[in-house]
Amino acid sequence: MTMIGDDLQQVRNRIAQACVTAGRDAAGVRLLAVSKTFGADAVREAHAAGQSAFGENYVQEGLDKIEVLADLRATLEWHCIGPLQSNKTRPVAEHFDWVHSIDRLKIAERLSAQRPANLPPLNVCLQVNVDGGANKSGVTPDEALALAQAVAALPQLRLRGLMAIPEPAPDFAAQRELFLRAHALFESIRKAGIELDTLSLGMSADLEAAISAGSTMVRVGTAIFGGRARKPA
Ligand SMILES: *Cc1c(COP(=O)(O)O)cnc(C)c1O
């Protein structure tokens, strides 16, 4: 097996083990492979090892990979997980399958208006700021229900759930506590009558804590593709 294939298998094993520990069914946690900064060849290799969902932070970088990998398009699912500015919504609406980082209505309205009619609705998650981190993206917990109601009403979007990126905490219990805030918000929005099935929580370093707090989708980069030298411009 290739190195990426081996690393993918290790991440799958971690997810399976975390589900056993949490008393959860492993089928309830999806793996999103975060391929930002890695080339199309790395995505192709992961795909050959059975991975179909990929996350990208930077719109242009994602678009370039989607184009290079057009031959695999029918079996790939592309997720935009980075902050999204309003002047970048059109290509995202036209080429991605999911957006995890909706933090204001204006972005959602543009995505809905720009989603081509021949494609299924764009799957979206609201990014929530559960730890009040300064200059952090994400809607505050207080505003999340109103935003969820407004987004759920948009015709070309399908609201799937919430995404959060809490600050790294010193230990498992503290990390889990931050993730549990996102889970509580997720449950309260569901109780208000909005159907949600996705809680996008957890990365390479903290996926076990996220799964113990109810994550249904972990976004994993480093543990699959290796370290990133630096954040690209
Ligand atoms: C980079 C990134 C990830 C993956 O982080 P790793 O620590 O490399 O697993 C997950 N989610 C978001 C939003 C990211 O930007």
Side-chain angles (χ1 to χ4, degrees), residues 130-131 136 165-181 202-207 209-210:
V130 289
D131 53 359
K136 222 171 143 167
I165 317 172
E167 292 300 314
D171 57 43
F172 182 92
Q175 196 71 61
R176 178 169 190 267
E177 199 277 325
L178 293 174
F179 286 131
L180 281 172
R181 294 186 200 174
M203 313 196 289
S204 295
D206 55 19
L207 68 88

Side-chain angles (χ1 to χ4, degrees), residues 34 36 57 81-82 163 165 202-205 219-223 226 228:
V34 177
K36 66 180 179 208
N57 281 57
I81 62 175
M163 185 271 264
I165 317 172
M203 313 196 289
S204 295
R219 308 177 311 272
V220 179
T222 308
R228 293 177 294 272

Side-chain angles (χ1 to χ4, degrees), residues 11 14-15 18 201-212 218 220:
V11 170
R14 279 176 66 190
I15 293 169
L201 295 178
M203 313 196 289
S204 295
D206 55 19
L207 68 88
E208 286 84 1
I211 288 170
S212 80
V218 292
V220 179

Side-chain angles (χ1 to χ4, degrees), residues 9-207:
Q9 192 51 48
Q10 287 198 24
V11 170
R12 292 187 191 118
N13 293 345
R14 279 176 66 190
I15 293 169
Q17 185 55 53
C19 286
V20 169
T21 304
R24 297 184 53 193
D25 182 350
V29 180
R30 290 190 73 197
L31 172 59
L32 178 65
V34 177
S35 42
K36 66 180 179 208
T37 81
F38 293 93
D41 288 350
V43 173
R44 200 176 280 284
E45 205 175 314
H47 177 266
Q51 178 64 25
S52 58
F54 292 88
E56 290 287 337
N57 281 57
Y58 309 100
V59 173
Q60 191 54 51
E61 184 192 337
L63 293 170
D64 291 346
K65 273 175 238 181
I66 292 170
E67 192 182 330
V68 172
L69 296 166
D71 59 310
L72 300 179
R73 187 66 185 90
T75 55
L76 289 178
E77 195 178 88
W78 289 102
H79 295 233
C80 174
I81 62 175
L84 189 50
Q85 287 155 357
S86 50
N87 62 352
K88 299 272 181 62
T89 52
R90 183 176 293 280
V92 171
E94 290 177 348
H95 296 284
F96 282 78
D97 302 297
W98 284 69
V99 174
H100 290 226
S101 46
I102 303 287
D103 62 357
R104 54 194 197 278
L105 185 57
K106 182 183 170 196
I107 297 288
E109 286 172 340
R110 290 177 65 92
L111 289 168
S112 181
Q114 293 166 344
R115 181 70 168 171
N118 64 318
L119 294 181
L122 183 65
N123 298 290
V124 299
C125 293
L126 307 185
Q127 184 173 349
V128 292
N129 180 353
V130 289
D131 53 359
N135 355 302
K136 222 171 143 167
S137 357
V139 65
T140 64
D142 286 354
E143 298 163 331
L145 177 58
L147 181 59
Q149 285 164 332
V151 170
L154 294 171
Q156 281 291 86
L157 301 188
R158 181 168 168 215
L159 178 62
R160 300 295 296 264
L162 304 181
M163 185 271 264
I165 317 172
E167 292 300 314
D171 57 43
F172 182 92
Q175 196 71 61
R176 178 169 190 267
E177 199 277 325
L178 293 174
F179 286 131
L180 281 172
R181 294 186 200 174
H183 183 257
L185 194 57
F186 177 75
E187 290 300 339
S188 74
I189 292 172
R190 293 208 314 185
K191 283 208 185 78
I194 296 179
E195 270 182 55
L196 304 178
D197 63 9
T198 301
L199 187 54
S200 167
L201 295 178
M203 313 196 289
S204 295
D206 55 19
L207 68 88

